[in-house]
Amino acid sequence: MTHVPDTEKDWKRGETSDSASQQLYERPNGLRGLYYHPLTQTCLLGFVCFMCPGLFNALNGLGGGGQVDNTTGANSNAALYATFAFFAFFAGSINNKLGSRVTLILGTMGYALYVGSYLAINIHPGAKGFVIAAGAILGISAGLLWTAQGSLMMAYPTEGEKGKYIGVFWGIFNLGGVVGASVALGENFNSKANSVGNGTYIGFLVLTCLGVLIPFTMADPAKVIRTDGTKVTPAHNPSWKSEFLGLYVALRTDPMILLLFPMFLASNWFYTWQFNDYNGAIFNIRARSLNNLVYWIAQIIGSVAIGRLLDQPKLSRRVRAFTGWAVLFVFVFFVHIWAYFYQKTYTRASVPPDSERLDIFDPGYTGKIFLYVFCGVLDAMWQTTAYWLMGAMSNDPGKLAYFAGFYKSLQSAGAAGIWRADAVLTPYMNIFASTWAMLVAGLIFVLPMIHLRVHEHTDSQADALDEKVGDI
């Protein structure tokens, strides 16, 4: 174990290397070294989300959870994101108190119940209340899962690897959507109906139950050593009081996070239009299943591509941040100008639930599925960039847990509102316009944050949240 003297580096203000004031540790070798490698742990984290939220995404990507009538699914998602928004705001404190593995285990438990509720309504059509209740319960557990995930995913990599790690995680996570969509497509390829069968739900249910077991195989984050020799140091706040105080301190000492809030709010807003009001509205179940498959494959491509850009060693971190912003700006307008020309051709009245929908062999299908591919790419780029920007603000896992909680809370608050708007049959064009506007607003607000807050390196002393909590 060696110590790096402060005099070895002469960083400018706001550009202090995280490793410059930390002890360096020798990483273990062999299988032990492989197991405790931060990339291995990130991959395991990805597989947790593969089995649970990945399959949840595959189910929702079918439009209305694969049902003929999208209303029950929309109401369930409104309940889900309402509870998600509330509990995610405080989930950073829960994560720091209980530890990430326990928080992940608790977070996985609601997904199987949610999938099971759709199987129940397929068997008993009167079970709509159960689907909505399962959505509300899932919101609580999802708030815990995603906060623990965000804290670990942003804390494991070094500053120069954050885009890579986020991209790897996002790719594995979205394999869940790919596998789930493949199951749905295989089950429904010969069907021209507008809903899925019991076999699809049973397959999803088995896989989500397996996802609960994966957190038990993960390493204690305190034993993980980054590739530069620095240790991942979980927060050690001894009481619930200090944890909730830390939530306040994180906001007070780093107010620039507020400029990311519109970006957070927009980050799930677009799913309602994409899943229910585009895929669920105009395609039959075979086309919806195929669309769903290519959407999640596109997510993997988008996350890896933007991750590589955000980690380009030949560019400064500030240049990478502004370049990532520019890529998002281009994609937001490219996708939504294209989508507008489709959206203006149909309304809720013109495509009622019992209408004949577009099939994969019908004229005009090819252009519409390619739009859905680019929707998937944009989604992955947006989420990956949001995580990267938070990671550029801090390397402290405790502080990142709060940031992840803010992110998921606001993301879910926006989603709850727009899913409820869909449930009360707000016109498709209104939902589409609000989606476009929210994305543009998110980009506008984040621009000054990049200019003022993204430095070449993170100052580890200024970043130490536990010390600031102790000072109060």
Side-chain angles (χ1 to χ4, degrees):
M1 184 173 71
T2 59
H3 180 70
V4 179
D6 293 337
T7 55
E8 286 188 13
K9 301 289 183 182
D10 184 23
W11 302 103
K12 296 179 181 179
R13 182 180 180 273
E15 298 182 353
T16 302
S17 169
D18 184 53
S19 61
S21 60
Q22 292 189 17
Q23 291 178 323
L24 301 183
Y25 296 81
E26 185 177 351
R27 298 191 60 256
N29 299 316
L31 290 176
R32 180 179 173 82
L34 178 64
Y35 173 67
Y36 283 104
H37 196 287
L39 187 57
T40 302
Q41 294 302 311
T42 301
C43 289
L44 288 172
L45 188 63
F47 280 110
V48 173
C49 294
F50 173 116
M51 292 292 190
C52 295
L55 295 172
F56 164 86
N57 282 345
L59 186 61
N60 271 276
L62 292 170
Q67 297 291 304
V68 174
D69 185 1
N70 294 343
T71 304
T72 300
N75 279 322
S76 178
N77 283 337
L80 187 162
Y81 287 112
T83 55
F84 196 161
F86 178 80
F87 283 95
F89 193 83
F90 302 102
S93 299
I94 296 170
N95 175 78
N96 291 346
K97 182 64 179 175
L98 299 182
S100 297
R101 284 194 300 178
V102 174
T103 307
L104 276 175
I105 291 165
L106 295 174
T108 58
M109 292 182 174
Y111 287 90
L113 178 67
Y114 180 84
V115 174
S117 71
Y118 277 100
L119 177 61
I121 199 174
N122 241 26
I123 299 170
H124 303 288
K128 295 180 180 179
F130 178 39
V131 177
I132 295 170
I137 294 169
L138 176 56
I140 299 171
S141 63
L144 298 174
L145 182 146
W146 280 108
T147 300
Q149 171 272 335
S151 172
L152 291 176
M153 185 185 67
M154 291 184 285
Y156 280 147
T158 63
E159 291 181 358
E161 297 176 324
K162 294 202 175 188
K164 171 186 172 182
Y165 277 56
I166 295 169
V168 167
F169 165 81
W170 211 257
I172 295 172
F173 157 50
N174 283 308
L175 278 175
V178 172
V179 170
S182 299
V183 171
L185 181 60
E187 285 280 334
N188 300 288
F189 188 78
N190 293 319
S191 172
K192 291 190 177 180
N194 288 334
S195 64
V196 302
N198 291 344
T200 302
Y201 292 125
I202 292 170
F204 280 32
L205 183 59
V206 171
L207 292 172
T208 50
C209 287
L210 292 175
V212 179
L213 303 177
I214 299 176
F216 288 98
T217 69
M218 295 178 67
D220 181 351
K223 296 180 180 179
V224 176
I225 300 173
R226 298 186 184 100
T227 56
D228 64 356
T230 57
K231 265 195 172 183
V232 176
T233 309
H236 295 290
N237 289 334
S239 67
W240 288 108
K241 179 181 177 181
S242 65
E243 271 306 319
F244 287 115
L245 186 59
L247 187 70
Y248 160 72
V249 172
L251 274 173
R252 194 195 71 178
T253 59
D254 212 339
M256 286 294 168
I257 191 68
L258 296 173
L259 291 175
L260 284 175
F261 281 11
M263 188 179 196
F264 296 167
L265 192 68
S267 61
N268 266 13
W269 192 282
F270 44 73
Y271 285 153
T272 301
W273 183 82
Q274 290 175 2
F275 294 168
N276 268 22
D277 303 341
Y278 181 68
N279 196 32
I282 62 175
F283 301 97
N284 67 15
I285 194 61
R286 177 163 62 182
R288 284 155 65 183
S289 298
L290 181 57
N291 294 349
N292 202 22
L293 175 61
V294 299
Y295 182 91
W296 299 113
I297 292 173
Q299 287 256 351
I300 297 171
I301 297 169
S303 63
V304 172
I306 197 72
R308 287 180 65 86
L309 172 64
L310 294 172
D311 274 352
Q312 274 296 318
K314 295 180 180 179
L315 302 175
S316 70
R317 185 153 73 164
R318 287 175 58 79
V319 170
R320 284 178 270 147
F322 282 113
T323 304
W325 182 93
V327 169
L328 287 181
F329 184 88
V330 170
F331 263 81
V332 165
F333 278 89
F334 170 70
V335 167
H336 288 85
I337 289 171
W338 186 356
Y340 169 76
F341 287 99
Y342 290 145
Q343 178 57 80
K344 70 178 185 177
T345 65
Y346 66 94
T347 64
R348 289 189 186 273
S350 68
V351 286
D354 57 352
S355 64
E356 186 174 346
R357 311 285 180 90
L358 191 69
D359 188 47
I360 61 176
F361 299 113
D362 290 342
Y365 174 73
T366 302
K368 290 181 173 65
I369 191 175
F370 271 105
L371 170 63
Y372 213 54
V373 167
F374 282 100
C375 286
V377 172
L378 173 59
D379 177 17
M381 287 184 168
W382 189 275
Q383 313 294 349
T384 301
T385 303
Y387 276 116
W388 187 89
L389 289 170
M390 286 185 281
M393 296 177 72
S394 177
N395 293 324
D396 177 6
K399 189 174 185 179
L400 290 171
Y402 295 131
F403 285 177
F406 298 152
Y407 174 45
K408 302 310 290 190
S409 178
L410 287 159
Q411 180 186 74
S412 302
I418 197 63
W419 279 111
R420 181 56 186 164
D422 190 55
V424 298
L425 307 182
T426 301
Y428 289 151
M429 184 60 81
N430 292 14
I431 291 178
F432 173 77
S434 70
T435 297
W436 194 348
M438 288 294 293
L439 290 169
V440 173
L443 289 173
I444 291 172
F445 276 92
V446 82
L447 196 56
M449 175 268 165
I450 294 173
H451 175 67
L452 296 170
R453 186 63 179 80
V454 176
H455 303 295
E456 294 308 307
H457 300 281
T458 301
D459 186 336
S460 60
Q461 292 182 343
D463 197 35
L465 191 63
D466 287 352
E467 295 179 8
K468 295 174 183 176
V469 173
D471 291 341
I472 295 179

